[in-house]
């Protein structure tokens, strides 16, 4: 069964550094999402992406965050200057169309020191 | 703003017992999802409920949706230890990005 893949599985970074989290959505899916989960808390929406542009973003997704689909397969989340509170599990998800079930990757655990 | 409330947040039960997890949401939606998450792992899709009155069953788990009451339930029958995990419900916002809004999760522990 096709799956969403995320790399790296764990990223440790110094505060203030830039990080890029990578995702390969399911190949024929058109909608892409990033969510995050702070340890022990619920999953929170960050951003959705469709037709090569952001379709919605949450309050968390400030100007330190950006997303990109640089080619036909990858979908990346960049945090320009990381803060301690960015430490979380970041999940990428994709769906065939809007309203179809979203398939989640295994996540990237981001630890900011 | 769509809010999703789950209860209970913590559930400790004995093997062989039955219990129900509740998921209430605040605005109209007829698309609701249940996910399972094991510690440190990703979200595994359990059920997709797409209409009022939808009922789906898989093994010892059964999920239902009442869109008029804005309520979904996840019923556990004769619990076994392997069901220990955190269960999240999520509601599709419909229209626009179709983002999911998650409940806080129910951490289920099934004791032998």
């Amino acid at each position: 069964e096709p799956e969403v893949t995320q790399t790296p599985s764990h990223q440790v970074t110094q505060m203030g550094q830039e990080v890029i989290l990578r995702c390969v959505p399911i190949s024929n899916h058109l909608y892409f999402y990033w969510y995050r989960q702070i340890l022990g808390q619920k999953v929170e929406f960050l951003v959705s992406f469709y037709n090569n542009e952001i379709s919605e973003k949450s309050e968390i997704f400030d100007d330190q965050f950006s997303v990109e689909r640089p080619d036909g397969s990858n979908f990346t989340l960049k945090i320009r200057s990381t803060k301690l509170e960015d430490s979380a599990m970041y999940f990428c998800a994709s769906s065939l169309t809007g309203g179809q079930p979203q398939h989640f990757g295994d996540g990237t655990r981001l630890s900011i020191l | 703003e769509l809010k999703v409330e789950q209860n209970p947040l913590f559930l400790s039960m004995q093997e062989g017992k039955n219990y129900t997890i509740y998921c209430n949401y605040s605005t109209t939606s007829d698309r609701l999802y249940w996910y399972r998450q094991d510690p440190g792992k990703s979200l595994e899709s359990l059920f997709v409920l797409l209409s009022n009155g939808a009922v789906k069953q898989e093994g010892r788990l059964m999920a239902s949706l009442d869109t008029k009451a804005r309520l979904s339930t996840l019923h556990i029958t004769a619990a076994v230890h392997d069901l220990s995990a955190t269960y999240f419900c999520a509601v599709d916002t419909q229209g626009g990005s179709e983002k999911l809004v998650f409940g806080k999760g129910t951490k289920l522990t099934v004791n032998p």
Side-chain angles (χ1 to χ4, degrees):
Chain A
E1 185 178 328
E3 57 183 30
V4 176
T5 56
Q6 288 185 244
T7 55
S9 57
H10 192 189
Q11 174 83 45
V12 182
T13 301
Q14 293 286 333
M15 188 172 58
Q17 296 296 304
E18 174 185 286
V19 293
I20 297 176
L21 309 183
R22 292 185 164 79
C23 170
V24 180
I26 295 174
S27 62
N28 62 338
H29 284 190
L30 300 177
Y31 286 73
F32 313 114
Y33 306 85
W34 284 100
Y35 295 84
R36 80 169 187 192
Q37 185 180 32
I38 294 171
L39 186 63
Q41 297 187 24
K42 70 176 182 180
V43 179
E44 301 173 287
F45 167 77
L46 291 178
V47 65
S48 57
F49 193 87
Y50 169 72
N51 201 26
N52 283 319
E53 61 183 21
I54 290 174
S55 49
E56 188 173 352
K57 58 185 180 180
S58 71
E59 291 177 354
I60 302 167
F61 194 91
D62 61 21
D63 57 8
Q64 292 300 308
F65 289 84
S66 62
V67 289
E68 196 176 36
R69 188 157 163 81
D71 52 40
S73 60
N74 291 285
F75 180 51
T76 61
L77 174 69
K78 179 161 68 175
I79 310 174
R80 286 188 188 82
S81 178
T82 50
K83 309 189 225 6
L84 293 176
E85 53 264 38
D86 293 327
S87 295
M89 183 76 99
Y90 287 79
F91 291 106
C92 173
S94 69
S95 64
L96 183 59
T97 63
Q100 291 289 312
Q102 294 180 24
H103 298 257
F104 285 78
D106 286 342
T108 293
R109 180 167 297 284
L110 178 62
S111 301
I112 308 300
L113 305 178
Chain B
E1 181 189 339
L2 174 59
K3 294 191 190 307
V4 180
E5 301 283 343
Q6 270 181 255
N7 71 84
L9 299 182
F10 297 93
L11 177 56
S12 181
M13 57 192 295
Q14 287 199 306
E15 281 191 327
K17 299 292 187 183
N18 305 331
Y19 209 84
T20 300
I21 299 170
Y22 297 88
C23 175
N24 290 91
Y25 54 97
S26 61
T27 63
T28 303
S29 175
D30 57 6
R31 291 203 288 258
L32 188 137
Y33 306 85
W34 284 96
Y35 289 89
R36 168 181 170 144
Q37 186 180 42
D38 291 296
K41 302 292 186 182
S42 186
L43 296 155
E44 176 192 352
S45 178
L46 293 175
F47 298 108
V48 179
L49 303 168
L50 299 177
S51 61
N52 187 40
V55 177
K56 295 228 176 139
Q57 182 159 8
E58 180 76 32
R60 300 174 189 274
L61 300 177
M62 183 173 72
S64 66
L65 177 61
D66 180 342
T67 58
K68 291 178 182 165
R70 298 176 187 167
L71 171 69
S72 179
T73 60
L74 180 66
H75 186 72
I76 303 154
T77 302
V80 293
H81 179 68
D82 285 353
L83 290 179
S84 297
T86 299
Y87 294 85
F88 290 94
C89 66
V91 178
D92 189 325
T93 51
Q94 298 188 248
S97 69
E98 317 288 349
K99 70 182 183 194
L100 295 180
V101 178
F102 284 79
K104 289 185 177 179
T106 296
K107 184 172 182 180
L108 171 67
T109 304
V110 181
N111 302 304

